């Protein structure tokens, strides 16, 4: 969709160049801070590598008193409690059972979105001429999009879309502390209990992927171009 042409004279370009120079000066202390941050991370990573290198490898999933306070490496089955019962009543019918350390949700809406693109070129007078184009496509978003604000809303109407009022747009439920256990056969007893820090490193699974995949394909895109 053609958004029209805008022009910029020589003095406006000079003002933009001056602002760019000021930004360049401000970037010097920012770069120095980034260098310090990178060196500090290097020291931390080396200390972590040394700690892992000195860790004890256990072939058994049975804890030993001799390992108290030490870092150990084990490969065991994982037990986690069923936490689906802690979900809000609005979500419970969709997921009656779920065993895991944590369960979170984020609501999204499948709707039209607008993308603005600008192309500029220099003019003979020392300024520049710019042309904007607008493209439209359907996708999942985490907040309602008001199609009335589109440059060209015709054919891209989202209606009065909104999230349901009986459920928070995002949230999570967690397993009770020290309830996730690494054991021989994935049982809650006789194994290594994981604290909240170790639990945070467990892999995540996107349960909403299949639901998103069942949405209408995003083949109804549109573009206005000048």
């Amino acid at each position: 969709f053609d958004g029209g042409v805008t022009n910029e004279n020589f003095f406006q370009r000079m003002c933009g160049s001056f602002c760019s120079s000021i930004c360049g000066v401000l970037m010097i202390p920012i770069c120095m801070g980034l260098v310090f941050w990178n060196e500090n991370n290097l020291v931390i990573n080396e200390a972590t590598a040394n700690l892992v290198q000195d860790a004890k490898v256990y072939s058994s999933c049975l804890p030993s008193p001799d390992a108290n306070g030490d870092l150990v490496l084990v490969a065991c089955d994982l037990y986690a409690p069923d936490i689906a019962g802690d979900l809000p009543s609005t979500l419970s019918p969709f997921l009656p059972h779920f065993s895991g350390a944590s369960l979170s949700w984020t609501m999204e809406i499948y709707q039209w979105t607008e993308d603005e693109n600008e192309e500029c070129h220099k003019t003979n007078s020392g300024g520049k001429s710019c042309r904007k184009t607008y493209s439209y496509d359907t996708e999942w978003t985490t907040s309602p999009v008001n199609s009335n604000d589109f440059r060209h809303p015709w054919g891209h109407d989202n209606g009065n879309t909104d999230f349901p009022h009986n459920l928070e747009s995002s949230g999570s439920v967690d397993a009770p502390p020290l309830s996730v256990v690494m054991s021989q056969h994935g049982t809650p007893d006789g194994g290594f209990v994981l604290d909240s820090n170790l639990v945070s490193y467990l892999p995540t699974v996107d349960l909403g992927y299949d639901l998103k995949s069942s949405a209408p394909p995003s083949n109804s895109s549109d573009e206005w171009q000048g």
Side-chain angles (χ1 to χ4, degrees), residues 1-224:
F1 292 81
D2 188 0
V5 177
T6 58
N7 296 301
E8 185 178 276
N9 59 37
F10 175 77
F11 296 100
Q12 288 174 319
R13 291 191 62 201
M14 289 298 295
C15 182
S17 299
F18 177 75
C19 293
S20 298
S21 301
I22 296 299
C23 291
V25 174
L26 294 177
M27 285 297 295
I28 295 177
I30 294 177
C31 291
M32 293 177 63
L34 290 175
V35 171
F36 173 79
W37 173 81
N38 183 66
E39 293 296 327
N40 183 62
N41 275 352
L42 177 62
V43 174
I44 295 176
N45 290 337
E46 289 182 351
T48 302
N50 293 333
L51 181 63
V52 173
Q53 186 176 7
D54 296 335
K56 296 181 180 179
V57 180
Y58 272 72
S59 58
S60 172
C61 293
L62 295 176
S64 171
D66 298 336
N68 285 340
D70 294 333
L71 177 64
V72 296
L73 301 179
V74 294
C76 310
D77 293 333
L78 187 69
Y79 166 83
D82 188 346
I83 58 176
D86 297 330
L87 287 173
S89 58
T90 310
L91 293 178
S92 295
F94 300 98
L95 193 65
H97 300 285
F98 179 80
S99 295
S102 179
L103 180 60
S104 61
W105 69 88
T106 301
M107 288 194 290
E108 298 181 353
I109 303 178
Y110 193 71
Q111 56 189 334
W112 283 102
T113 59
E114 177 184 70
D115 182 61
E116 177 185 305
N117 182 49
E118 184 179 51
E119 294 183 357
C120 301
H121 64 272
K122 295 180 180 180
T123 62
N124 295 332
S125 60
K128 67 177 180 179
S129 176
C130 299
R131 180 180 297 275
K132 291 183 178 179
T133 58
Y134 299 86
S135 58
Y136 300 87
D137 205 349
T138 48
E139 60 180 318
W140 289 98
T141 62
T142 56
S143 60
V145 176
N146 187 356
S147 56
N148 293 328
D149 295 334
F150 289 168
R151 180 75 174 185
H152 300 281
W154 306 283
H156 316 115
D157 185 17
N158 286 330
N160 296 321
T161 54
D162 201 355
F163 291 125
H165 299 290
N166 58 345
L167 180 66
E168 295 291 336
S169 60
S170 63
S172 64
V173 294
D174 299 319
L178 306 180
S179 61
V180 180
V181 182
M182 294 182 64
S183 61
Q184 186 68 39
H185 302 291
T187 58
D189 302 318
F192 293 91
V193 177
L194 305 185
D195 61 14
S196 58
N197 183 50
L198 291 175
V199 166
S200 65
Y201 289 99
L202 295 177
T204 59
V205 178
D206 185 2
L207 299 177
Y209 177 78
D210 293 335
L211 180 61
K212 291 182 179 180
S213 300
S214 64
S218 178
N219 56 6
S220 55
S221 61
D222 201 354
E223 181 177 356
W224 283 12

